[in-house]
Amino acid sequence: MALLDGLTKNQAELRPGDSDDDLRPLALSLAPVHAVTWAQRIIAGWPRWKIEAVYEDRAMIHATHTTRVFRFVDDVHIIFEPDSRGSLLMARSQSRIGKGDLGQNARNLRALVRGLQNEDQIRRARLADGVKINT
């Protein structure tokens, strides 16, 4: 991220080949229809995150993240695209107000990717151990 990006950009998105590994699309081992339900349950339990809408037929989630201090609300749009591994998580986070976000939208996406990546690893480990889980 360039020095002035936080002052002049109010959005971030996951992009293939991004220099930051946590800002690249995330491969999940669930089909899109199952990934939507699974991710919705996980995100709904995170502090300052709220599920606004779920579009299962389009494999999409609209969530919001509220910043800690000033209570700014950022819209996070999540799409699960079909992939040979299951699905590919694509996402975009955008501030509702202002011309700059001081890097908050990128932090939103990093938290989303890391959180879902950790939960997917736990889910796969349980499956490998033979534990029956709901997707």
Side-chain angles (χ1 to χ4, degrees), residues 14-15 17-26 110 113 117:
L14 300 182
R15 295 175 193 238
D18 197 288
S19 60
D20 184 338
D21 288 344
D22 290 330
L23 291 178
R24 293 182 186 163
L26 174 65
R110 286 186 192 100
V113 167
Q117 189 173 43

Side-chain angles (χ1 to χ4, degrees), residues 4-20:
L4 295 177
D5 279 355
L7 298 174
T8 60
K9 291 174 70 176
N10 72 347
Q11 62 88 26
E13 63 184 294
L14 300 182
R15 295 175 193 238
D18 197 288
S19 60
D20 184 338

Side-chain angles (χ1 to χ4, degrees), residues 76-98:
V76 182
H77 295 276
I78 305 161
I79 300 171
F80 299 90
E81 296 179 351
D83 183 74
S84 61
R85 297 159 284 195
S87 62
L88 196 61
L89 177 137
M90 304 294 289
R92 182 171 195 261
S93 179
Q94 184 168 2
S95 302
R96 289 185 176 177
I97 61 171

